[in-house]
Amino acid sequence: MHDLRMWNPDLSRVHLSVDAARGGRRTARVHTHTNRLNGCLTRVRGLTATTVAKTAVDLARELPFEAGVCVVDSALAVASRADVDAALDGCTGMTGCSSARRTVAFADGRSESIGESRTRVYLQRFGFPAFELQVTLRHGSFVCRPDFLLDGVIVEFDGRVKYTSEQVLFEEKKRHDELMSLGWVVARLTWADLASDAGAVKVRRAMAMAKGRPPPLTHRVP
């Protein structure tokens, strides 16, 4: 209802919350959860729903870490971290709250897609240091905002199965070549790369190539 991004969701049941200590039940079509709503309610398309922050935290309590990060990242794009933290505090002592705290601590509203959220989790899983997100770079008239950057390396998530037109493909290649000419080493990760160690190999190779090179010629735009 809030259009939060979910990765590989199980839509076989509708999930509802009841503001009570007991009374949860599960059927083939509906899962009713006991919850502490604490006034965290809103109206969406004429229906009563938990707020974006509360919904994200409740999902983070239930979902695996990677799927939870996708949800909370998208929630932080529309809700404040203070609201999400308040919803998190409201679940203290409830099942899954410690897992939700880990998810919320890692979440970042600057991630702009499920692919970017999953890439951040993937890079952490393979022990890479934290990359910076969505930094705007400039060199003369050239301006771009890559997905992730660190120490001369840019990591881009490319989730397109195919490009919509030859012009789009041309512009993307032109941007890639421009970044390379300015001293950046670019690693492009796909959905398939995130399903194995192939993406980690690409990033390690890029970091090895960037090591010892002069700093890229671009500067950051505040």
Side-chain angles (χ1 to χ4, degrees):
M1 292 172 67
H2 292 302
D3 294 323
L4 298 178
R5 296 189 295 267
M6 297 189 72
W7 174 54
N8 196 28
D10 178 1
L11 301 180
S12 61
R13 288 187 179 92
V14 175
H15 291 257
L16 306 173
S17 287
V18 56
D19 196 352
R22 56 181 65 177
R25 61 192 298 263
R26 185 187 306 204
T27 68
R29 301 297 297 275
V30 178
H31 186 167
T32 303
H33 301 259
T34 58
N35 209 331
R36 297 182 202 141
L37 298 182
N38 298 326
C40 296
L41 299 176
T42 188
R43 298 284 288 179
V44 182
R45 302 168 196 167
L47 299 173
T48 301
T50 48
T51 61
V52 169
K54 174 64 172 171
T55 301
V57 168
D58 283 345
L59 284 167
R61 290 196 296 117
E62 297 281 336
L63 295 172
F65 179 71
E66 187 170 8
V69 167
C70 293
V71 171
V72 182
D73 277 357
S74 62
L76 286 172
V78 294
S80 70
R81 182 166 285 275
D83 286 343
V84 174
D85 287 343
L88 188 60
D89 289 340
C91 83
T92 299
M94 298 176 68
T95 300
C97 192
S98 59
S99 296
R101 288 191 185 283
R102 176 173 172 251
T103 300
V104 170
F106 183 81
D108 194 317
R110 292 172 296 178
S111 282
E112 297 180 342
S113 68
I114 286 176
E116 290 181 25
S117 296
R118 289 192 61 205
T119 298
R120 288 175 45 243
V121 175
Y122 180 88
L123 292 171
Q124 184 204 55
R125 184 185 306 138
F126 280 90
F128 291 103
F131 280 68
E132 295 184 84
L133 279 68
Q134 307 296 344
V135 177
T136 301
L137 303 174
R138 179 189 294 275
H139 181 76
S141 60
F142 175 74
V143 180
C144 74
R145 191 175 62 153
D147 297 337
F148 309 97
L149 60 84
L150 176 72
D151 297 337
V153 174
I154 284 175
V155 175
E156 296 272 56
F157 175 75
D158 189 349
R160 282 171 283 198
V161 177
K162 61 180 180 179
Y163 287 87
T164 55
S165 69
E166 289 186 7
Q167 182 62 31
V168 172
L169 177 60
F170 172 77
E171 293 297 334
E172 187 61 28
K173 185 178 184 307
K174 180 180 176 183
R175 175 178 175 275
H176 177 95
D177 291 346
E178 185 75 25
L179 286 167
M180 296 285 282
S181 71
L182 293 171
W184 289 98
V185 180
V186 182
R188 305 185 71 86
L189 304 187
T190 64
W191 292 115
D193 291 327
L194 300 184
S196 70
D197 65 351
V201 171
K202 287 183 178 180
V203 176
R204 289 193 188 103
R205 185 183 302 127
M207 295 184 79
M209 291 175 63
K211 191 173 182 179
R213 283 191 179 191
L217 298 177
T218 52
H219 67 271
R220 296 162 180 259
V221 178

